[in-house]
C-alpha cells in the first residue's frame, strides 16, 4: 500500500520553469537533464512497486536527518519482517565496474560516483534512525538500475544491484511473502513520514531575477510561448493543447510562487506575468476562487 507519494522536487521544478524563461548555461542544462532523468526513473519504479499486493507500506522520496546528517531515500518499503531500502538509478548506456569504481565504457571513459557509497551511508543512518524509534527489523538495501538500456560490465556477483531484468522477479518475491503488518509498522511509517524534511537544504538554484525572465503564457505540453486565448479557452498554436484559462492562471500562480516565494500574488502581478494575455477580471475571478484574500482594496493579495 502506498503510504507516502512522491512529488516533483522543487529544484527540478525551478530549473524546468527557468529553462523556458531564460537561457540556461550548458552546465545548468546538463544539470536539468540529470534531475529530470533521475526523477523519471524514480517515477517508473513507483509504477512497478504500486503493483505489490502483499501487506507492506511504501514510502517514496524521503529526506531525513539523523545525528545532524541529512540523507535521502528514493523508496522505502516496510514489509512485515524486513525494511527494503532502494536507491534508483536511471543510468543509460554501457558502463564497467573496476575496483569499486564505475566508469562509462565509451571513450573518453569517465568515472561516475558509485551509487553504493550513497547506499551504504543511507543504510547506516537509516539503521540508527530505526533504532532510535525502537525498530530492530533487518534492512535490505538495493541499487535499482531501472533503465533497460543500461549494461554494467564486470559486475561482481555479490553487489546489491538489481538490474532491469530482475526487478519484476524481486517485487514478485515481496508480493508472495506472507505476514501481516501490525500497529508497530504503521506507527513506524507515521514517525518516519513526520520526520521528512520538505525542502532539500543543499538545493542551490541558479541566480535569477524577476526582470530577466521572459513573461507570458507557456504551453503546459510543449513549453512554448504560443498560446492564443479565446474566451475561457487557451490553445497552443504549436501542439494544439487546449487548457482552460482558469487552469492556466493557477498553473502560473504556482510557477511564480515557486520561482519567487516572497512575491505577493494579486491580480496585477499575474496580469503582468502573463503579459496582459488574459483580462484582469478573469484573473481576479480565478484567484478569488482558489485562494484566500488577505488585506483590503489596493493592499489585498492572495495566499493558498
Ligand atoms: Zn504546446
Amino acid at each position: 500500500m502506498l503510504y507516502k507519494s512522491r512529488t516533483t522536487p522543487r529544484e527540478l521544478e525551478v530549473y524546468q520553469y527557468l529553462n523556458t524563461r531564460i537561457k540556461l548555461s550548458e552546465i545548468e542544462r546538463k544539470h536539468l537533464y540529470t534531475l529530470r532523468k533521475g526523477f523519471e526513473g524514480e517515477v517508473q519504479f513507483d509504477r512497478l512497486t504500486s503493483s505489490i499486493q502483499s501487506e507492506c507500506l511504501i514510502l517514496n522520496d524521503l529526506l531525513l536527518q539523523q545525528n545532524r546528517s541529512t540523507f535521502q531515500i528514493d523508496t522505502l518499503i516496510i514489509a512485515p519482517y524486513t525494511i527494503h531500502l532502494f536507491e534508483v538509478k536511471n543510468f543509460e548506456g554501457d558502463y564497467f565496474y573496476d575496483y569499486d569504481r564505475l566508469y562509462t565504457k565509451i571513450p573518453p571513459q569517465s568515472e561516475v560516483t558509485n551509487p553504493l557509497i550513497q547506499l551504504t551511508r543511507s543504510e547506516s543512518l537509516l539503521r540508527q534512525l530505526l533504532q532510535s524509534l525502537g525498530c530492530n527489523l533487518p534492512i535490505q538495501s538495493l541499487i535499482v538500475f531501472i533503465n533497460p538500456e543500461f549494461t554494467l560490465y564486470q559486475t561482481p556477483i555479490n553487489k546489491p544491484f538489481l538490474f532491469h531484468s530482475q526487478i519484476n522477479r524481486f517485487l514478485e518475491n515481496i508480493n508472495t511473502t506472507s505476514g501481516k503488518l501490525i500497529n508497530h509498522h504503521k506507527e513506524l511509517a507515521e514517525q518516519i513520514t513526520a520526520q521528512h524534511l520538505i525542502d532539500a537544504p543543499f538545493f542551490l538554484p541558479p541566480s535569477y531575477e524577476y526582470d530577466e525572465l521572459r513573461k507570458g503564457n507557456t504551453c503546459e505540453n510543449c513549453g512554448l510561448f504560443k498560446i492564443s486565448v479565446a474566451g475561457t479557452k487557451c490553445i497552443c498554436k504549436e501542439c494544439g493543447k487546449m487548457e482552460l484559462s482558469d487552469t492556466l492562471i493557477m498553473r502560473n500562480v504556482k510557477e511564480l510562487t515557486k520561482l519567487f516565494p516572497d512575491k505577493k500574488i494579486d491580480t496585477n502581478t499575474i496580469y503582468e506575468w502573463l503579459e496582459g494575455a488574459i483580462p484582469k477580471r478573469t484573473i481576479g475571478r480565478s484567484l478569488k476562487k482558489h485562494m484566500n484574500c488577505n488585506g483590503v482594496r489596493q493592499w489585498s493579495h492572495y495566499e493558498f
Side-chain angles (χ1 to χ4, degrees), residues 270-302:
I270 298 301
Y271 183 75
E272 185 186 295
W273 179 250
L274 297 175
E275 264 197 329
I278 292 184
K280 286 188 184 178
R281 204 154 33 99
T282 315
I283 296 173
R285 238 189 343 249
S286 287
L287 297 185
K288 213 171 267 174
K289 186 173 152 196
H290 299 282
M291 300 173 83
N292 302 314
C293 183
N294 291 324
V296 285
R297 291 191 215 101
Q298 68 264 46
W299 297 284
S300 68
H301 64 274
Y302 291 86

Side-chain angles (χ1 to χ4, degrees), residues 219-224 226 236-241:
C219 166
E220 68 163 342
N221 187 42
C222 68
L224 297 177
K226 294 212 172 170
C236 175
K237 286 179 270 180
E238 184 69 24
C239 71
K241 169 86 187 173

Side-chain angles (χ1 to χ4, degrees), residues 222-245:
C222 68
L224 297 177
F225 290 83
K226 294 212 172 170
I227 303 224
S228 78
V229 182
T232 56
K233 285 180 184 166
C234 307
I235 296 161
C236 175
K237 286 179 270 180
E238 184 69 24
C239 71
K241 169 86 187 173
M242 202 279 283
E243 194 178 13
L244 291 174
S245 57

Side-chain angles (χ1 to χ4, degrees), residues 53-282:
Q53 299 289 317
S54 62
E55 291 217 6
C56 68
L57 300 167
I58 304 171
L59 284 71
N60 292 324
D61 183 30
L62 292 164
L63 186 68
L64 301 165
Q65 213 162 38
Q66 177 64 22
N67 289 339
R68 293 168 168 251
S69 301
T70 307
F71 65 109
Q72 189 243 327
I73 292 173
D74 288 339
T75 305
L76 191 76
I77 298 184
I78 303 176
Y81 307 115
T82 315
I83 306 273
H84 299 276
L85 163 66
F86 299 97
E87 170 67 28
V88 182
K89 289 289 164 203
N90 196 4
F91 293 169
E92 194 172 329
D94 295 340
Y95 289 67
F96 67 93
Y97 202 94
D98 195 28
Y99 293 103
D100 280 335
R101 290 183 186 166
L102 255 85
Y103 300 89
T104 55
K105 185 166 169 280
I106 296 167
Q109 290 164 351
S110 54
E111 185 181 347
V112 293
T113 308
N114 185 345
L116 274 177
I117 299 168
Q118 194 189 338
L119 188 75
T120 311
R121 179 179 178 272
S122 298
E123 184 185 315
S124 165
L125 290 165
L126 176 68
R127 189 173 301 108
Q128 295 168 46
L129 176 68
L130 292 179
Q131 274 165 7
S132 74
L133 297 173
C135 168
N136 291 311
L137 286 172
I139 302 172
Q140 187 190 30
S141 309
L142 285 168
I143 307 276
V144 180
F145 290 109
I146 191 81
N147 200 310
E149 300 298 321
F150 172 71
T151 305
L152 186 59
Y153 289 90
Q154 299 173 190
T155 314
I157 200 163
N158 59 346
K159 298 294 174 194
F161 292 155
L162 196 60
F163 294 100
H164 186 266
S165 58
Q166 303 170 308
I167 299 173
N168 282 338
R169 258 177 299 151
F170 181 84
L171 295 180
E172 193 47 43
N173 253 340
I174 296 186
N175 221 359
T176 49
T177 310
S178 53
K180 293 234 171 268
L181 293 176
I182 55 171
N183 269 346
H184 174 67
H185 297 101
K186 287 165 197 161
E187 280 165 21
L188 186 65
E190 204 177 293
Q191 285 168 319
I192 293 174
T193 309
Q195 295 200 18
H196 170 63
L197 307 166
I198 303 296
D199 240 337
F202 36 77
F203 162 42
L204 285 173
S207 61
Y208 54 90
E209 300 285 339
Y210 179 81
D211 287 340
E212 59 180 337
L213 299 191
R214 182 173 170 185
K215 313 295 184 299
N217 287 323
T218 56
C219 166
E220 68 163 342
N221 187 42
C222 68
L224 297 177
F225 290 83
K226 294 212 172 170
I227 303 224
S228 78
V229 182
T232 56
K233 285 180 184 166
C234 307
I235 296 161
C236 175
K237 286 179 270 180
E238 184 69 24
C239 71
K241 169 86 187 173
M242 202 279 283
E243 194 178 13
L244 291 174
S245 57
D246 182 55
T247 321
L248 182 139
I249 290 163
M250 294 320 292
R251 183 162 61 78
N252 275 279
V253 169
K254 185 187 161 209
E255 180 173 344
L256 194 57
T257 40
K258 287 270 173 180
L259 287 170
F260 302 98
D262 297 330
K263 204 161 182 68
K264 286 217 181 333
I265 299 294
D266 61 22
T267 306
N268 286 329
T269 328
I270 298 301
Y271 183 75
E272 185 186 295
W273 179 250
L274 297 175
E275 264 197 329
I278 292 184
K280 286 188 184 178
R281 204 154 33 99
T282 315

